[in-house]
């Protein structure tokens, strides 16, 4: 089981309260971006492509607390940029833990080991480390040789000190299913609590626009990776959401389930799309034309989306919307379904592209530029 029972209970009771109140739309996870600055320059990322004056800005702890209180979601994910570059990240995390929010602090882990003293282990705090696969593939994807080894060292130390640690992996076109499965074994051997997977989403600002996955390729890739799975693998995601990725389920997008707050305000409509900003959370929920987003809307920006910010809330809602959905979740969670699939097993033997053949864009950007800038607050 990749999610502790106490956290599952908190989320379950929260969702049930929303349903009893007959709320059609409600937040499940707040995506809180305190800064865009980063110490990597990954080819598939659109965040660090902002101009220097934007990369210098960061939210204050009080702005973060106000957003969390206004939103009310039981879980808070803190992506970036690299949150560990924030000069007050320890204060932000401490304030959220004091509010009993389940916090996922996302990091590439280059600074994790040296920053651990800033934090105290808690059931409410999880370090979500971005790992793109085995050593060579990860280093190639993040455009940093040795990045994998530094991250692994940070993970080991965090686990040793009693912190909750998960991994977050983005898969692009040409990913080798066999290598991804071997990567799962490596992460489980490190003692991480669970793993999260996502297909790469086409950020408008991302330098490499050629290797993002379409929906058909996503289903094919995830079917090969997640079928015939080992019992030792633990995933920090809804089981029904993973089935959606494998093509076993169909869902409508629920972008309001994971609203985003950053240095510009409340981002419309979700973490991955920027169609304007709202000043308040209430304005975001009430003024956004949600029917204009999701694959069913015909919006070309949403055509290939199968990411967590659009669909994991849909899967969680399905779990509590019917006996069938609830039983399916229990069955997979308790019985650890292996998803036996002879065709997917045979397909694992097919040749996949190597990182050299992928041709991902390598950026000629010094990661130190973003690190060395003096931060400012909004």
């Amino acid at each position: 089981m990749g999610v502790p029972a106490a956290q599952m209970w908190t989320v379950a009771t929260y969702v049930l309260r929303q349903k009893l109140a007959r709320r059609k739309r409600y937040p499940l996870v707040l995506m809180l971006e305190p800064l865009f600055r980063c110490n990597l320059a990954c080819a598939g990322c659109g965040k660090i492509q902002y101009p220097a004056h934007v990369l210098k800005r960061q939210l204050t702890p009080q702005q973060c607390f106000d957003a969390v209180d206004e939103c009310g979601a039981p879980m808070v994910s803190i992506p970036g940029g690299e949150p560990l570059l924030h000069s007050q990240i320890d204060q932000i995390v401490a304030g959220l833990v004091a509010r009993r929010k389940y916090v996922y602090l996302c990091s590439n882990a280059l600074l994790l080991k040296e920053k651990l003293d800033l934090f105290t282990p808690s059931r409410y705090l999880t370090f979500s480390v971005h790992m793109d696969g085995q050593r060579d593939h990860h280093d190639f994807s993040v455009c940093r040789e040795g990045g994998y080894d530094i991250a692994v060292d940070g993970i080991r130390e965090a686990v040793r000190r009693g912190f909750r640690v998960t991994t977050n992996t983005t898969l692009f076109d040409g990913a080798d299913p066999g290598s991804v499965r071997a990567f799962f074994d490596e992460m489980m051997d490190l003692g991480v609590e669970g793993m999260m997977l996502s297909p790469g989403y086409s950020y408008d600002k991302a330098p490499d626009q050629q290797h993002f996955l379409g929906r058909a390729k996503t289903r094919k890739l995830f079917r090969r990776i997640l079928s015939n799975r080992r019992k030792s693998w633990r995933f920090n995601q809804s089981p029904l959401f993973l089935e959606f990725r494998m093509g076993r389920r169909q869902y409508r997008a629920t972008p309001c389930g994971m609203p985003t707050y950053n240095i510009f305000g409340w981002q419309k409509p979700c973490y991955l799309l920027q169609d304007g900003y709202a000043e308040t959370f209430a304005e975001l929920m009430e003024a956004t034309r949600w029917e204009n987003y999701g694959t069913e809307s015909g919006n070309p920006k949403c055509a290939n989306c199968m990411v967590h910010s659009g669909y994991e809330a849909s899967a969680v809602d399905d779990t509590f919307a019917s006996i069938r959905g609830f039983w399916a979740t229990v069955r997979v969670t308790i019985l650890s379904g292996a998803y036996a699939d002879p065709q997917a097993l045979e397909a694992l033997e097919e040749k996949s592209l190597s990182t050299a053949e992928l041709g991902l864009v390598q950026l000629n950007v010094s990661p130190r530029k973003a690190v060395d800038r003096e931060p400012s607050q909004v």
Side-chain angles (χ1 to χ4, degrees):
M1 185 182 298
V3 181
Q7 182 174 332
M8 293 176 64
W9 175 253
T10 296
V11 173
T13 54
Y14 169 81
V15 172
L16 289 173
R17 285 198 303 272
Q18 308 310 308
K19 290 195 169 296
L20 289 173
R22 299 186 181 277
R23 294 190 179 96
K24 183 179 179 180
R25 298 187 178 94
Y26 58 88
L28 183 67
V29 180
L30 170 61
M31 307 294 286
L32 178 66
E33 293 181 290
L35 81 176
F36 294 149
R37 197 165 63 257
C38 191
N39 50 359
L40 285 177
C42 304
C45 178
K47 297 295 182 180
I48 63 166
Q49 306 307 313
Y50 285 99
H53 72 276
V54 174
L55 294 177
K56 290 179 180 180
R57 297 170 62 183
Q58 61 185 37
L59 296 176
T60 66
Q62 190 59 53
Q63 286 176 309
C64 294
F65 303 151
D66 291 344
V68 169
D69 293 342
E70 186 181 2
C71 175
M75 295 183 288
V76 180
S77 177
I78 307 180
E82 171 52 59
L84 291 179
L85 290 174
H86 195 294
S87 58
Q88 296 172 295
I89 190 61
D90 54 335
Q91 297 176 38
I92 294 172
V93 169
L96 300 185
V97 168
R99 287 166 168 75
R100 296 187 176 182
K101 301 295 183 181
Y102 282 95
V103 179
Y104 282 84
L105 179 58
C106 304
S107 175
N108 56 42
L110 295 182
L111 298 173
L112 180 58
K113 190 173 181 179
E114 65 184 79
K115 297 282 188 177
L116 282 176
D117 289 338
L118 296 175
F119 307 97
T120 302
S122 167
R123 72 177 185 178
Y124 294 106
L125 172 61
T126 301
F127 288 108
S128 178
V129 179
H130 186 82
M131 300 290 287
D132 269 338
Q134 292 184 290
R135 179 181 287 105
D136 289 346
H137 187 82
H138 174 83
D139 288 356
F140 187 85
S141 295
V142 302
C143 308
R144 167 105 179 219
E145 187 176 353
Y148 178 93
D149 291 330
I150 296 173
V152 165
D153 196 30
I155 291 173
R156 283 201 183 100
E157 183 62 16
V159 171
R160 187 189 70 81
R161 295 197 193 186
F163 287 98
R164 294 179 59 190
V165 182
T166 61
T167 58
N168 187 6
T169 302
T170 303
L171 301 177
F172 292 90
D173 191 14
D176 181 352
S179 176
V180 175
R181 289 165 65 90
F183 165 75
F184 291 167
D185 292 333
E186 293 176 5
M187 295 302 101
M188 291 296 95
D189 288 343
L190 285 175
V192 304
E193 182 178 285
M195 302 174 289
M196 290 182 280
L197 301 172
S198 180
Y201 180 83
S202 181
Y203 285 96
D204 288 340
K205 292 178 178 292
D208 182 4
Q209 293 290 326
Q210 300 180 19
H211 295 97
F212 292 105
L213 287 160
R215 289 172 71 88
K217 286 187 175 181
T218 294
R219 294 189 188 101
K220 181 179 180 180
L221 176 62
F222 276 78
R223 178 185 172 189
R224 293 183 182 185
I225 293 171
L226 296 175
S227 296
N228 311 294
R229 69 182 65 167
R230 298 193 174 110
K231 290 185 177 181
S232 60
W233 296 347
R234 298 184 301 274
F235 296 96
N236 194 259
Q237 292 178 294
S238 162
L240 303 191
F241 177 57
L242 292 178
E243 288 189 350
F244 165 71
R245 291 263 181 81
M246 297 168 70
R248 288 173 170 261
R249 293 180 179 273
Q250 296 295 325
Y251 287 124
R252 295 181 67 89
T254 311
C256 61
M258 294 189 179
T260 296
Y261 183 77
N262 58 37
I263 59 176
F264 299 125
W266 293 96
Q267 181 173 304
K268 298 179 182 180
C270 67
Y271 177 64
L272 295 171
L273 289 183
Q274 295 173 320
D275 282 353
Y277 291 86
E279 291 187 7
T280 67
F281 176 70
E283 179 188 342
L284 172 74
M285 298 299 282
E286 295 168 7
T288 303
R289 299 187 62 180
W290 300 106
E291 68 275 10
N292 291 343
Y293 301 97
T295 54
E296 301 81 7
S297 69
N299 189 330
K301 294 181 179 180
C302 304
N304 288 313
C305 180
M306 294 186 76
V307 299
H308 65 287
S309 58
Y311 290 93
E312 186 147 21
S314 306
V316 172
D317 185 79
D318 184 27
T319 295
F320 300 101
S322 67
I323 296 297
R324 182 177 182 181
F326 181 76
W327 170 244
T329 301
V330 170
R331 175 179 52 80
V332 176
T333 301
I334 302 300
L335 301 181
S336 299
Y339 299 97
D341 187 335
Q343 290 182 331
L345 190 62
E346 182 179 351
L348 284 175
E349 302 301 322
E350 294 181 8
K351 181 181 182 296
S352 296
L353 295 177
S354 67
T355 53
E357 293 172 305
L358 277 174
L360 289 173
V361 174
Q362 300 296 290
L363 302 183
N364 295 318
V365 177
S366 171
R368 305 302 303 175
K369 285 186 178 180
V371 182
D372 295 338
R373 296 189 183 106
E374 184 67 24
S376 62
Q377 297 174 342
V378 177

